[in-house]
Amino acid sequence: MALQDVCKWQSPDTQGPSPHLPRAGGWAVPRGCDPQTFLQIHGPRLAHGTTTLAFRFRHGVIAAADTRSSCGSYVACPASCKVIPVHQHLLGTTSGTSADCATWYRVLQRELRLRELREGQLPSVASAAKLLSAMMSQYRGLDLCVATALCGWDRSGPELFYVYSDGTRLQGDIFSVGSGSPYAYGVLDRGYRYDMSTQEAYALARCAVAHATHRDAYSGGSVDLFHVRESGWEHVSRSDACVLYMELQKLLEPEPEEDASHAHPEPATAHRAAEDRELSVGPGEMTPGDSRMPAGTETV
């Protein structure tokens, strides 16, 4: 006889998230207060920002981010890592509250590992994005702030999804999240091509983040660059954002012009031809290119 028939035991639902997560209504707030209203009134309001981006191309997915963690006008950490690996073929950029992002990525790592043990294979990038979106949507309205771009490679090739803490889930080729994202989008929209080479993709990602850190006060530090391939993710480089921006500016500087003494004088052939043409035309004649009315045809 089976165990569940003896002690009336039933196995938990293996398709849903782990039951170890706290319930959305289990927060310790004063009695009679709505959690959302209480957090809006008494919760800390500290300005924070970042610049993260990810884009998909034929050789995989590129993820890049700055390394400055800000808390109001205070730089809490100039060398933080905003790209968090989930497993060998999946990583994500983090934007929002650092504690929320780190916590939910640990939860996602655990849930994907449990599903891998149950099913014998890693879930797809789309399944991971759907799972993260479903878990965070239960805490909507409780001041949770997580905005991430999931970058991975599965059986269908390179995949990129954007997930927000209110349950939003979008699939696309280019995403940039954070206070510096408008500046990064300006560079990405100009230079992005799906069939670009690997080195062109590296240069585009570095250029976009470096320009964003120059314009956005809450972004800075260094530029972390990751590449997700079919064989797994790779940390390509960490470059100083200020040095990188100065190098890019030197590449864009125009070449010095030649001295005026060495400049060749403009040929006078065109001017002479125009003068001869004016002399050959009489006062009462009109050329096809002349829009003026001759004096003899004026009406009184």
Side-chain angles (χ1 to χ4, degrees), residues 6 32 58 121 127 183 187 199 207 209 235 258 261 286 296 299:
V6 176
R58 64 175 181 174
Q121 62 181 2
S127 298
Y183 312 108
V187 179
Q199 295 302 322
C207 181
V209 179
H235 186 198
E258 297 181 357
S261 59
M286 182 177 179
T299 58

Side-chain angles (χ1 to χ4, degrees), residues 282-298:
E285 298 179 1
M286 182 177 179
T287 60
D290 194 354
S291 61
R292 295 172 298 173
M293 183 177 295
T297 60
E298 289 182 0

Side-chain angles (χ1 to χ4, degrees), residues 162-231:
Y162 167 77
V163 181
Y164 188 58
S165 50
D166 64 353
T168 302
R169 177 169 52 94
L170 302 173
Q171 184 180 13
D173 292 331
I174 303 176
F175 288 114
S176 182
V177 190
S179 57
S181 59
Y183 312 108
Y185 268 127
V187 179
L188 290 174
D189 290 340
R190 181 181 180 183
Y192 172 77
R193 300 190 327 273
Y194 185 81
D195 59 344
M196 69 175 69
S197 64
T198 302
Q199 295 302 322
E200 289 176 340
Y202 291 170
L204 178 62
R206 291 192 185 103
C207 181
V209 179
H211 278 78
T213 57
H214 181 71
R215 294 295 181 184
D216 181 37
Y218 296 104
S219 303
S222 302
V223 180
D224 272 337
L225 184 63
F226 287 77
H227 186 186
V228 183
R229 307 173 184 266
E230 186 176 5
S231 58

Side-chain angles (χ1 to χ4, degrees), residues 210-211 214-215 240-250:
H211 278 78
H214 181 71
R215 294 295 181 184
D240 186 88
C242 182
V243 175
L244 187 59
Y245 180 79
M246 297 302 295
E247 292 176 355
L248 293 173
Q249 289 298 108
K250 290 180 181 179

Side-chain angles (χ1 to χ4, degrees), residues 98-115:
S98 299
D100 292 341
C101 294
T103 299
W104 281 103
Y105 263 95
R106 285 199 297 266
V107 173
L108 181 62
Q109 290 172 357
R110 182 190 66 196
E111 296 298 327
L112 294 181
R113 176 58 177 162
L114 290 174
R115 183 167 294 187

